[in-house]
């Protein structure tokens, strides 16, 4: 059985310096810094085996001594800043066509924003873990306050998807470039749960963010040990017992309305997608279900749900 701290460790598993300085420094020294011109900071970490396999071409500077790489655009200025996006896209498409990385087989034709530069730079979603950039998403927990206590709508992921067969949050999805978090939750709620737009706009309440830094595992699809730092915008939505989510796309197999105890039991058995466990812990903390009195690792868990990432994060979306 997994403890609540085990659930956090299962997702926020990139090491912390204070836990083992030597091991942390060894790992960091092996990674390449991904930099885009116009940003003062590193925007991602790249595994050395990715650097070795990627078909960089002549439009990249790959410095093996400084462990740093960036797209090279001659005469870069605000007028041609987007050329960096073009270089990144061409490189990923070449890698996809050559079958270099399995993760690119799930090409999404969806762009993610690289936050940090002064101008907009984007990247194909499936390529983001190859460069270790911060990605952003939304998660919504729909719940019912019934006479016999709170109940939560829990979907089961379709078997053909990543993390197939595991349990998920009521609604979740990645934020595309140029999309606002709330507009993303409106879109995903319709696509995944058939929730009407007017319901989401009137009842979904923003509840902050959580952040973590993961190594991707085999259930995520593609190569393992790719780096995935994430920030997720969190929403709660109380609904009546007459409002029943139903699958609208192929992401979800079904929904079930569970008591808090049933959700906690499934969490302890490892039945939830790893990052979804974190949102539920956050939900339990905010609703006074998980407290200092009933969780010995309470302070550690609260802190770990809001990890400070070593990359620039979004100023506004």
């Amino acid at each position: 059985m997994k403890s609540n701290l085990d659930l956090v460790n299962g997702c926020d598993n990139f090491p912390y310096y204070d836990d083992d300085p030597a091991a942390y420094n060894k790992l960091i020294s092996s990674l390449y810094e991904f930099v885009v011109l116009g940003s003062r900071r590193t925007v991602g970490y790249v595994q050395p085996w990715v650097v070795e396999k990627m078909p960089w071409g002549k439009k990249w500077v790959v410095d093996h001594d400084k462990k740093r790489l960036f797209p090279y655009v001659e005469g870069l200025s605000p007028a041609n800043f987007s050329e960096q996006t073009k270089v990144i896209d061409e490189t990923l498409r070449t890698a996809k066509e050559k079958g270099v990385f399995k993760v690119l087989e799930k090409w999404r034709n969806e762009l993610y924003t690289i936050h940090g530069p002064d101008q907009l730079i984007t990247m194909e979603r499936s390529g983001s873990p190859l460069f270790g950039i911060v990605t952003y998403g939304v998660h919504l927990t729909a719940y019912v306050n019934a006479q016999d206590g709170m109940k939560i709508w829990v979907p089961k992921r379709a078997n053909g998807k990543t993390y197939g067969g595991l349990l998920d949050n009521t609604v979740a999805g990645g934020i595309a470039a140029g999309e606002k978090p709330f507009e993303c939750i409106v879109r995903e709620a319709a696509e995944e749960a058939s929730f009407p737009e007017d319901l989401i706009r009137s009842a979904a309440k923003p509840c902050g963010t959580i952040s973590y830094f993961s190594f991707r595992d085999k259930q995520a699809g593609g190569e393992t040990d790719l780096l995935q730092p994430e920030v997720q915008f969190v929403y709660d939505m109380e609904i009546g017992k007459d409002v029943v989510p139903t699958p609208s796309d192929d992401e979800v197999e079904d929904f079930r309305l569970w008591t808090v105890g049933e959700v906690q039991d499934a969490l302890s058995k490892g039945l939830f997608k790893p990052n979804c466990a974190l949102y539920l812990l956050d939900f339990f903390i905010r609703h006074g279900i998980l407290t200092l009195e009933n969780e010995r690792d309470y302070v550690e868990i609260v802190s770990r749900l809001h990890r400070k990432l070593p990359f620039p994060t979004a100023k506004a979306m």
Side-chain angles (χ1 to χ4, degrees):
M1 303 292 279
K2 294 179 181 289
S3 70
N4 289 325
L5 186 57
D6 288 337
L7 295 173
V8 174
N9 290 333
C11 182
D12 184 44
N13 52 26
F14 190 88
Y16 285 79
Y17 174 82
D18 291 339
D19 290 341
D20 189 336
Y24 177 87
N25 287 331
K26 181 179 180 180
L27 172 62
I28 290 296
S29 66
S30 73
L31 302 174
Y32 282 68
E33 296 180 353
F34 172 42
V35 177
V36 288
L37 302 181
S39 175
R40 297 179 180 180
R41 294 173 58 188
T42 300
V43 296
Y45 288 151
V46 185
Q47 290 278 21
W49 55 267
V50 172
V51 175
E52 182 179 345
K53 295 173 66 176
M54 186 71 75
W56 297 111
K58 297 180 179 180
K59 294 183 179 181
W60 285 86
V61 174
V62 180
D63 189 327
H64 295 291
D65 294 325
K66 295 182 178 180
K67 295 286 184 69
R68 173 173 287 200
L69 57 92
F70 55 90
Y72 176 72
V73 178
E74 188 174 358
L76 186 70
S77 71
N80 66 351
F81 207 87
S82 62
E83 287 296 309
Q84 291 184 94
T85 291
K86 184 178 179 181
V87 171
I88 295 168
D89 184 66
E90 289 175 348
T91 304
L92 286 174
R93 288 183 182 276
T94 299
K96 175 179 177 291
E97 291 167 2
K98 293 183 176 181
V100 178
F101 300 107
K102 291 182 180 179
V103 72
L104 296 180
E105 294 174 4
K106 298 289 186 179
W107 193 273
R108 304 290 289 268
N109 286 315
E110 180 180 342
L111 297 178
Y112 274 176
T113 300
I114 300 174
H115 290 274
D118 298 328
Q119 305 290 329
L120 179 65
I121 300 179
T122 59
M123 175 184 294
E124 154 64 28
R125 175 174 177 169
S126 65
S128 60
L130 293 169
F131 287 86
I133 65 169
V134 181
T135 58
Y136 294 77
V138 293
H139 280 250
L140 177 143
T141 302
Y143 65 98
V144 178
N145 273 320
Q147 288 186 344
D148 55 345
M150 177 186 287
K151 295 183 178 180
I152 298 171
W153 279 108
V154 177
K156 182 180 179 182
R157 294 177 64 83
N159 284 323
K161 297 296 180 178
T162 56
Y163 298 99
L166 293 183
L167 303 174
D168 207 329
N169 292 117
T170 314
V171 173
I175 301 174
E179 187 174 36
K180 300 291 186 182
F182 194 77
E183 297 307 313
C184 180
I185 205 66
V186 169
R187 173 177 59 80
E188 293 287 353
E191 292 176 357
E192 295 185 354
S194 304
F195 283 137
E197 180 177 339
D198 59 346
L199 172 65
I200 299 299
R201 293 195 181 280
S202 62
K205 307 301 181 185
C207 300
T209 64
I210 69 170
S211 52
Y212 48 86
F213 197 166
S214 300
F215 288 102
R216 284 170 62 98
D217 62 21
K218 63 181 181 180
Q219 290 180 294
E223 290 78 4
T224 60
D225 289 336
L226 294 175
L227 303 173
Q228 192 156 351
E230 293 193 310
V231 175
Q232 303 285 347
F233 292 83
V234 179
Y235 297 84
D236 288 354
M237 186 172 72
E238 182 178 357
I239 57 179
K241 61 182 180 181
D242 58 324
V243 180
V244 179
T246 56
S248 181
D249 59 16
D250 60 355
E251 292 285 338
V252 172
E253 183 177 299
D254 59 40
F255 288 87
R256 62 283 311 272
L257 186 60
W258 276 0
T259 65
V260 169
E262 288 173 318
V263 173
Q264 291 175 319
D265 182 62
L267 284 168
S268 70
K269 293 176 179 176
L271 299 181
F272 275 86
K273 184 171 176 273
N275 67 336
C276 293
L278 273 60
Y279 310 114
L280 287 166
L281 293 177
D282 177 69
F283 180 87
F284 292 156
I285 289 166
R286 291 185 287 99
H287 288 263
I289 296 166
L290 191 66
T291 68
L292 183 63
E293 287 69 34
N294 61 28
E295 173 52 67
R296 66 177 184 177
D297 297 310
Y298 181 82
V299 174
E300 172 79 1
I301 290 169
V302 172
S303 174
R304 294 278 297 282
L305 293 178
H306 304 91
R307 180 169 186 156
K308 180 174 176 57
L309 299 173
F311 312 114
T313 48
K315 299 295 184 183
M317 298 184 77

